[in-house]
Amino acid sequence: MAGGEIRETLLTKTQEADAHSAMKIMESNPNFPSDWSLAQVIAWAGNVYTNAESVRTIPEACEEWIQELFGLKRSEVHRKNMTQRITKFGKWFPEKNVSDITTENVRQWISDQEGDYGPFAGRVVSITTRTNELTTLKSFFNFCEGRKFLSKSPVDKSVKAPGINRGEIVALDLGKVREIMTIASGLADKAEAIPYFALSLFAGLRPHEIRPKDGKKQIMWEDFTWRKKESTLVISYAVGKVTSRRVIKLPDNCVAWVKPYAKESGPVIESSFATWRGIKDLVRARAGYKVRGQHFKHLDPELAKVSNDTNRPGYVADVLRHTAISYYLEVNDNNKDLVANWAGNSPAVIDQHYRSLIKGTKELSPSDMVKEYWSIKPMRTKQSVVK
């Protein structure tokens, strides 16, 4: 070939291309000395790389995994949940190395059976909680296996997940909604109780958006915009379990309940989480639900003695939010996209869980019930607080 060079090589075309790529990587990487050959780099890698396992205690590996979550830019909510669970696991096995954990250790960890040695043994713990624990351990030990802290993850297929407890989706009837708002209106702490239950029942907010555990972000009075025609509430980033921002159009009856207690700024619920939990449980108990009395016995000692009786119906988790979404979907002609934006959920979930939950009664059609629901407002007379 004119002007070319003829040379003999034992490399295949693929190997030659790989060598060329490796040289380019070496030239562009300042960590390699400029005078090193490809052979020197391979010799260095052979000395540094080892297939042997690295020894880590559970707490040490936990700390590295948590840092990995930061590096992967996982959401703050995700990191906090994972950190709480894996830190608890690390404290349970403070002296053990990662490679010492067995499949039986994992199985015992998520067990609620009497006589087992895990943290849930003999306790009433939801299957959702235990399944989340297993999911966390699976992710953690996959990380450890990738870092060669152990040869194989102990979370294998023989460890069966307890499952996920899919809560029942129901909507309250009009009478129960009125009862709850009447109870809230009669409390000494009604300035917090009324906004909480009104925003839950008529704006579909999640409990932890209004009053999460201490230290977490919650809705503030400055998040509200009060207008004559359309008042709104902004659920900002990191409030509750979502990381996106949504703007809620507040129904007129919700405004009628909440606005009289609005302030210029500050949290909607100023009470501590522990104090607020007692108030919330008191309302549930007075509404007839089965509730443990330890959190409100200082407010109503006699009710606290009987509130956990088995003849009382259990309280359905998030039933206030479920009620709001169901009635909002019905009043908006089953527009699942509109309702999904309003509720901070997906159209598929709205369609699957909330369509046709409002059945009507012998006296009222579904449309009549919906009209009455969105007309539930505080009364100005002293005889009644709800109409």
Side-chain angles (χ1 to χ4, degrees):
M1 181 184 295
E5 179 183 358
I6 299 175
R7 54 192 176 81
E8 186 176 348
T9 177
L10 298 177
L11 300 176
T12 65
K13 289 184 178 181
T14 299
Q15 291 171 333
E16 191 168 354
D18 285 343
H20 179 73
S21 297
M23 293 298 295
K24 290 293 184 183
I25 293 172
M26 286 172 52
E27 292 170 1
S28 61
N29 192 326
N31 293 323
F32 293 119
S34 58
D35 59 344
W36 272 24
S37 67
L38 183 57
Q40 287 175 299
V41 173
I42 297 299
W44 168 82
N47 290 328
V48 173
Y49 178 79
T50 175
N51 200 34
E53 295 175 11
S54 300
V55 177
R56 293 288 191 283
T57 64
I58 295 293
E60 288 171 346
C62 288
E63 186 174 346
E64 291 187 38
W65 183 58
I66 291 167
Q67 290 302 314
E68 174 92 346
L69 296 179
F70 274 94
L72 295 173
K73 297 182 178 180
R74 296 291 189 258
S75 71
E76 182 180 359
V77 173
H78 177 82
R79 292 198 312 266
K80 283 185 176 180
N81 288 338
M82 292 296 194
T83 299
Q84 288 172 356
R85 294 179 195 136
I86 205 62
T87 300
K88 178 174 62 179
F89 186 78
K91 289 180 179 178
W92 201 266
F93 300 106
E95 304 299 328
K96 274 198 171 188
N97 292 332
V98 171
S99 57
D100 295 331
I101 299 298
T102 66
T103 298
E104 183 59 25
N105 290 149
V106 174
R107 190 178 291 110
Q108 293 264 2
W109 178 260
I110 64 170
S111 172
D112 63 349
Q113 297 299 307
E114 194 77 45
D116 285 342
Y117 58 75
F120 308 123
R123 294 174 51 198
V124 179
V125 182
S126 74
I127 58 175
T128 301
T129 295
R130 293 188 291 121
T131 295
N132 288 339
E133 290 284 338
L134 181 60
T135 301
T136 299
L137 291 184
K138 185 175 183 179
S139 179
F140 170 68
F141 281 108
N142 283 343
F143 162 82
C144 291
E145 184 178 337
R147 291 292 183 93
K148 297 187 182 300
F149 300 161
L150 76 173
S151 60
K152 186 179 179 182
S153 169
V155 188
D156 59 24
K157 293 181 179 179
S158 69
V159 184
K160 303 299 182 183
I164 297 294
N165 187 10
R166 302 295 183 186
E168 183 183 5
I169 305 295
V170 297
L172 299 176
D173 60 37
L174 298 174
K176 184 58 73 175
V177 173
R178 292 190 178 101
E179 180 183 4
I180 288 172
M181 292 309 302
T182 299
I183 294 168
S185 300
L187 295 178
D189 301 288
K190 66 180 181 180
E192 291 187 342
I194 288 178
Y196 176 89
F197 286 97
L199 289 168
S200 301
L201 281 165
F202 305 122
L205 266 64
R206 299 176 175 92
H208 47 274
E209 291 174 336
I210 311 175
R211 187 49 177 109
K213 291 184 177 180
D214 294 336
K216 294 189 176 182
K217 196 170 182 180
Q218 64 190 95
I219 62 168
M220 311 289 283
W221 284 117
E222 50 263 43
D223 297 328
F224 291 81
T225 301
W226 306 107
R227 304 182 184 91
K228 289 184 177 180
K229 290 187 177 180
E230 182 180 297
S231 295
T232 55
L233 166 62
V234 174
I235 305 296
S236 57
Y237 301 101
V239 172
K241 73 174 187 178
V242 295
T243 56
S244 59
R245 177 180 182 270
R246 80 181 191 271
V247 179
I248 298 174
K249 176 184 175 182
L250 297 174
D252 291 342
N253 69 333
C254 185
V255 173
W257 283 105
V258 176
K259 190 176 179 181
Y261 302 96
K263 300 177 181 179
E264 289 295 324
S265 61
V268 173
I269 305 296
E270 294 183 359
S271 297
S272 68
F273 180 78
T275 298
W276 175 247
R277 179 170 54 185
I279 298 170
K280 184 170 60 175
D281 283 357
L282 175 63
V283 173
R284 293 176 178 178
R286 286 185 176 175
Y289 292 106
K290 183 177 182 289
V291 183
R292 292 180 180 178
Q294 68 263 37
H295 299 306
F296 67 86
K297 60 184 179 182
H298 60 292
L299 300 171
D300 194 333
E302 294 306 312
L303 178 59
K305 294 177 183 178
V306 299
S307 63
N308 201 38
D309 288 355
T310 56
N311 61 341
R312 285 172 163 248
Y315 185 82
V316 177
D318 289 335
V319 69
L320 307 183
R321 171 174 162 82
H322 296 330
T323 300
I325 296 174
S326 301
Y327 280 96
Y328 199 73
L329 183 64
E330 194 73 30
V331 80
N332 284 287
D333 300 321
N334 290 314
N335 187 334
K336 59 184 179 182
D337 295 309
L338 182 150
V339 176
N341 288 330
W342 184 79
N345 221 320
S346 70
V349 168
I350 296 297
D351 190 57
Q352 178 183 355
H353 293 302
Y354 299 104
R355 184 184 291 275
S356 299
L357 279 188
I358 310 303
K359 303 293 185 183
T361 65
K362 291 182 178 179
E363 295 79 21
L364 296 173
S365 68
S367 60
D368 291 333
M369 285 187 68
V370 168
K371 289 178 183 178
E372 286 207 21
Y373 183 83
W374 296 111
S375 298
I376 295 176
K377 296 180 180 179
M379 293 287 286
R380 295 183 179 179
T381 63
K382 294 184 179 179
Q383 286 76 20
S384 177
V385 293
V386 179
K387 70 174 182 179

